[in-house]
Amino acid sequence: MNIALWIVQGVVALGFVYSGWLKAFRYEKAKESWGWVKDVPKAFVVFIGLVELLGALGIILPHATNIAPVLTPIAATGLAIIVLCGAIFHVKRKEYREIGVNIVFIALAVIVASSRF
């Protein structure tokens, strides 16, 4: 079970590193990839990206290093909340194609949070 959970944590971390990196450091590429980025202030998109990158680190490092491992499920919970807010945002904009990815990452983050608490 522990190996499977580490795999889930890795998948979640990789997904958020990709997403966060585009939002925080490749803003123009993010605008090309996601239509919603054009309609949101750049500073907010960059902020979301930085939070996602920190969450990706938080979902791996504390538990891996055994330094404050309680931060891992807290990071997973925070990422689940961010993605839930994103899903609500996409529903309001009628961007239903985007919601599938949100649901998958919410589920994975909740699995990590509930298993690591």
Side-chain angles (χ1 to χ4, degrees), residues 70-117:
V70 72
L71 294 177
T72 293
I74 292 171
T77 302
L79 289 173
I81 292 168
I82 289 171
V83 179
L84 178 62
C85 291
I88 293 168
F89 175 77
H90 291 306
V91 167
K92 288 183 179 182
R93 291 175 49 96
K94 296 181 171 69
E95 297 172 335
Y96 301 115
R97 283 188 5 201
E98 308 291 334
I99 298 169
V101 172
N102 292 131
I103 291 170
V104 168
F105 276 94
I106 290 169
L108 293 175
V110 167
I111 289 168
V112 172
S114 62
S115 299
R116 292 293 187 203
F117 263 123

Side-chain angles (χ1 to χ4, degrees), residues 21-41:
W21 187 263
L22 277 182
K23 291 171 188 156
F25 300 111
R26 303 282 315 255
Y27 179 76
E28 293 304 318
K29 178 73 173 161
K31 275 177 40 174
E32 292 172 18
S33 299
W34 302 308
W36 64 268
V37 174
K38 297 175 198 138
D39 300 330
V40 177

Side-chain angles (χ1 to χ4, degrees), residues 2-22:
N2 194 41
I3 293 172
L5 192 53
W6 274 111
I7 292 169
V8 171
Q9 283 176 249
V11 169
V12 172
L14 286 174
F16 280 104
V17 165
Y18 172 76
S19 172
W21 187 263
L22 277 182

Side-chain angles (χ1 to χ4, degrees), residues 32 48 52 100:
E32 292 172 18
I48 294 169
E52 288 179 351

